[in-house]
Amino acid sequence: MIEQRRVTMKKVLILNGSFCEVPIIKKAKELGYYVVTTGNMPNLVGHQYADEYIPADYSDKEAILKICQENDIWRIISCANDFGVLTSAYVAEKMGWPGHDTYENAMIMHHKDLFKKYCIEKDIPSPRSLSFTKKEEALNYAKECEYPIIVKANDLTGGKGILRADNVEEAVEAIENAYNKSRDKKIIVEPYIIGKQQSFTAFVIDRKVKVYTSNNCLSIVNPYLIQAETLPAEGIDQIKGQLISIIESIVEDLDLKDGILCLQYIVRDGQPYIIEMMRRCFGNQFLTLSEMFTGFPWHEAYIRNALGESISDIPIGEPELKYCGHFGVFAPRNGKVVSYKIPEDVESHVFKRIEMVQPGGTIDDYMNQRIVYLYYKYDNYEEMLSAIATLQDRIEIEME
């Protein structure tokens, strides 16, 4: 049966197979494709839903290109990681496939130094960053700059390689941390802007924003890793016009393909300052919330767009949720998780959960690992914001 599917169905390669990619994998199969997954972690849950798994490091562009050439792959779909976007763009360019930006444009949008340079050139409101390839030059800059600053590895996501510094001593630690973790050995130093962090995620069709979501970003345990998101973002009506204008101007200027475009930003004094930009599906199965919040089929649109199919006629249905979000539960320390209990005032609003560590399982990186992801819905916005802001402290977690 598998051999028959392989022969008669178009084969698409989805990079990685974590729980983040599970909805993409399932939807691609539902749409009638033979799904191949890859990645260097064969035990990830997503691979079990694919028709075939071929081991490889999805950030290795040449290895993925070779897989496509040798396995009759028809098209490629990125995972929920910036390296996946870069690899997909590179492979699509080499194979002459539609649905992906040029590799040059993918680099601009997913390498911090290039994106911040682009923001300066196009007068997009953003913290004015400096990039360094030599650690010594960054250390010298730290002796004369104004504080606070934030130091970032140029090519990483998920809060890796990021630290805030309020003085020279902290800057030395932050620079060492970012430089050691960066793959391309480039780091970014920029002013630390104090304000509310939010995201604005748009699906662009025919160069225009067709539909969007917005959300508040909460970093509770790890200040550099988003732990929870609540939809919609506070005050979005006042700034959404500016954000849409920024997105559409970037699309026009760089001649970008249709698809997802997300801006992460800090709001200070009513002004959004763009700190990151992404063109991919997201971790934590965020697009599931996007679909329920907007009525737009984000997963199907993401897949069809990556495959080069027209999505101009894709419909928008009725939203299912008024206010919603997700929350990643962190352990208080490393060790074995015995049990956890969610407060009843939140438990009654949870409509989905994904347990990442089963009772009896071990947490060995409590600042980054989650015990469980909770997906919740509310009818009252203020009730949601209040409950989620204090949730981590109110969860009863027993550890050994």
Side-chain angles (χ1 to χ4, degrees):
M1 183 64 179
I2 291 179
E3 288 298 326
Q4 182 179 356
R5 282 172 58 83
R6 183 181 290 115
V7 170
T8 60
M9 307 175 76
K10 291 180 178 178
K11 296 171 68 174
V12 299
L13 180 65
I14 297 179
L15 303 184
N16 207 26
S18 75
F19 88 99
C20 302
E21 287 80 36
V22 167
I24 299 294
I25 295 167
K26 288 183 175 180
K27 178 58 69 172
K29 290 187 66 174
E30 183 183 314
L31 292 172
Y33 296 101
Y34 182 94
V35 175
V36 182
T37 56
T38 189
N40 54 16
M41 300 179 69
N43 295 325
L44 291 179
V45 64
H47 298 310
Q48 67 180 290
Y49 298 104
D51 294 295
E52 185 178 352
Y53 166 68
I54 302 176
D57 180 353
Y58 67 78
S59 69
D60 186 334
K61 301 184 295 295
E62 297 300 338
I64 300 303
L65 176 61
K66 185 177 180 181
I67 286 175
C68 292
Q69 293 170 332
E70 295 181 351
N71 292 274
D72 194 30
I73 300 297
W74 179 64
R75 294 287 191 269
I76 191 170
I77 302 172
S78 177
C79 56
N81 184 281
D82 287 358
F83 286 112
V85 179
L86 296 173
T87 294
S88 296
Y90 177 83
V91 170
E93 194 168 273
K94 292 294 184 181
M95 298 295 290
W97 292 339
H100 299 267
D101 295 318
T102 65
Y103 182 63
E104 179 182 4
N105 280 342
M107 290 282 287
I108 290 173
M109 288 176 284
H110 294 89
H111 274 196
K112 295 177 179 62
D113 60 338
L114 297 178
F115 178 62
K116 292 305 179 66
K117 179 182 178 183
Y118 179 81
C119 286
I120 292 174
E121 292 174 350
K122 303 301 177 180
D123 199 29
I124 296 172
S126 176
R128 290 318 191 221
S129 307
L130 293 175
S131 62
F132 298 91
T133 56
K134 295 181 179 180
K135 184 166 52 177
E136 293 74 17
E137 293 180 357
L139 291 170
N140 287 332
Y141 174 74
K143 298 175 183 177
E144 60 185 36
C145 69
E146 294 185 13
Y147 288 91
I149 60 172
I150 190 161
V151 184
K152 305 177 181 180
N154 183 54
D155 52 356
L156 300 181
T157 60
K160 294 180 284 292
I162 300 178
L163 285 175
R164 169 180 168 166
D166 293 325
N167 52 55
V168 174
E169 290 74 19
E170 292 179 358
V172 171
E173 178 186 356
I175 289 168
E176 292 281 354
N177 173 68
Y179 188 80
N180 290 338
K181 292 183 177 179
S182 172
R183 293 195 188 186
D184 64 6
K185 297 306 175 187
K186 291 183 181 179
I187 65 174
I188 298 295
V189 181
E190 63 188 30
Y192 183 87
I193 295 181
I194 297 174
K196 292 182 179 179
Q197 183 174 344
Q198 299 179 341
S199 293
F200 187 88
T201 304
F203 207 103
V204 175
I205 299 179
D206 297 331
R207 299 183 182 272
K208 298 295 182 182
V209 171
K210 172 82 169 183
V211 64
Y212 68 86
T213 64
S214 65
N215 60 273
N216 304 304
C217 303
L218 286 75
S219 301
I220 302 164
V221 172
N222 183 339
Y224 312 110
L225 180 63
I226 295 173
Q227 181 176 352
E229 294 174 303
T230 52
L231 290 74
E234 293 181 82
I236 189 60
D237 288 341
Q238 286 70 51
I239 60 175
K240 66 181 181 182
Q242 183 179 358
L243 295 170
I244 290 172
S245 178
I246 289 172
I247 287 173
E248 292 181 348
S249 67
I250 293 174
V251 170
E252 186 70 30
D253 182 61
L254 294 177
D255 192 25
L256 299 182
K257 302 295 185 180
D258 284 349
I260 288 176
L261 197 156
C262 176
L263 298 177
Q264 288 187 344
Y265 55 93
I266 302 291
V267 179
R268 186 181 70 181
D269 299 329
Q271 170 66 47
Y273 293 87
I274 313 302
I275 55 175
E276 303 281 353
M277 177 179 173
M278 296 169 288
R279 298 218 73 188
R280 54 175 171 81
C281 66
F282 307 107
N284 315 334
Q285 296 191 9
F286 182 81
L287 292 187
T288 298
L289 289 172
S290 297
E291 290 193 351
M292 301 177 77
F293 183 74
T294 63
F296 180 77
W298 289 78
H299 290 111
E300 180 179 347
Y302 181 75
I303 292 166
R304 287 174 55 185
N305 183 76
L307 302 181
E309 299 179 4
S310 173
I311 52 175
S312 297
D313 60 346
I314 201 161
I316 300 179
E318 289 296 322
E320 297 179 48
L321 304 180
K322 188 175 183 180
Y323 308 118
C324 59
H326 71 83
F327 190 98
V329 178
F330 281 71
R333 57 177 174 83
N334 290 339
K336 182 182 291 186
V337 178
V338 177
S339 65
Y340 68 88
K341 183 178 180 181
I342 309 301
E344 179 55 35
D345 67 290
V346 173
E347 182 69 64
S348 61
H349 292 275
V350 173
F351 66 87
K352 176 182 177 180
R353 71 184 66 224
I354 301 175
E355 288 196 333
M356 305 300 292
V357 179
Q358 300 289 335
T362 301
I363 295 288
D364 53 26
D365 183 8
Y366 77 98
M367 292 289 284
N368 291 283
Q369 284 179 275
R370 285 82 158 181
I371 298 174
V372 61
Y373 284 95
L374 307 174
Y375 299 81
Y376 49 83
K377 57 182 179 179
Y378 283 80
D379 291 322
N380 184 288
Y381 189 61
E382 296 303 325
E383 180 187 359
M384 177 181 69
L385 295 184
S386 177
I388 300 306
T390 60
L391 179 56
Q392 180 66 40
D393 291 335
R394 296 188 295 128
I395 299 174
E396 298 176 15
I397 303 174
E398 184 180 353
M399 304 284 294
E400 283 186 358

